[in-house]
Amino acid sequence: MRRHIKLILGLFLLLSLIWVPVSSTEATAQSQTTVIPQAYRGSWFQPEFLQYRVKMTATTFTFGGGYYEHEHWQPHNQVTYRLSFHVTAGTFTWGKRNARGYHSVKVQGGIFYVKENRGTLFVKQIRQGHDINGYDLTFNQIPHAAQVLSGDVH
């Protein structure tokens, strides 16, 4: 009987030694970032007929279409997420840079991968494990975007 108790205690100790490191890596797998890095902040545009914009502040991530009219942004299918430690409706987590230089922006229902390189923002949009565009979307910061994209600059 005493041998069974020692065996059970040994098994419990072994499981606790395995369980603690596994659970601690799961906790650190979520974003521990409290702000988006400065290099990513601002409005990034992909000018076309219906322009797409990525806007990042210290704690928000906005992605969607729209256009400028009289120097005011008119959103179309645009979603804004708030930075959080766990993904829930309306929130996102900011992940560490991966081997290819992309940060993960995890939202409910998908992931965006973003990378800034020489003034260009590259974005991959992943839904259900697939890149929905098949290529990187490219965005640029445009000085005086409201005036330039409204067509109000002479």
Side-chain angles (χ1 to χ4, degrees):
M1 182 70 166
R2 202 175 270 197
R3 186 174 182 184
H4 289 300
I5 292 174
K6 286 183 181 181
L7 183 62
I8 290 172
L9 282 175
L11 250 143
F12 177 74
L13 181 61
L14 180 64
L15 284 174
S16 66
L17 288 174
I18 293 171
W19 182 258
V20 170
V22 168
S23 62
S24 66
T25 56
E26 287 180 42
T28 58
Q30 288 288 343
S31 172
Q32 298 302 314
T33 301
T34 56
V35 295
I36 293 175
Q38 188 70 37
Y40 290 88
R41 295 185 201 170
S43 292
W44 302 81
F45 297 93
Q46 183 185 41
E48 292 177 3
F49 176 69
L50 177 65
Q51 299 159 354
Y52 285 90
R53 177 178 79 162
V54 173
K55 182 178 180 183
M56 291 184 255
T57 66
T59 59
T60 63
F61 175 81
T62 303
F63 182 84
Y67 57 94
Y68 272 104
E69 183 174 60
H70 303 292
E71 297 187 22
H72 293 286
W73 180 253
Q74 307 296 321
H76 179 73
N77 292 333
Q78 177 177 292
V79 181
T80 298
Y81 303 95
R82 184 178 37 82
L83 184 62
S84 178
F85 289 107
H86 303 285
V87 176
T88 58
T91 66
F92 75 97
T93 59
W94 181 267
K96 294 180 181 179
R97 186 176 307 197
N98 67 16
R100 293 186 177 188
Y102 288 89
H103 289 275
S104 63
V105 177
K106 293 182 183 178
V107 299
Q108 200 168 39
I111 301 174
F112 294 91
Y113 288 102
V114 297
K115 173 173 71 170
E116 188 276 332
N117 188 11
R118 298 182 197 156
T120 300
L121 184 71
F122 297 93
V123 178
K124 292 181 180 193
Q125 191 176 7
I126 310 297
R127 299 273 185 222
Q128 297 177 346
H130 300 288
D131 186 344
I132 65 171
N133 299 306
Y135 55 90
D136 285 3
L137 301 173
T138 57
F139 295 83
N140 296 301
Q141 287 187 323
I142 301 172
H144 312 290
Q147 293 173 336
V148 172
L149 297 176
S150 290
D152 297 340
V153 174
H154 306 310

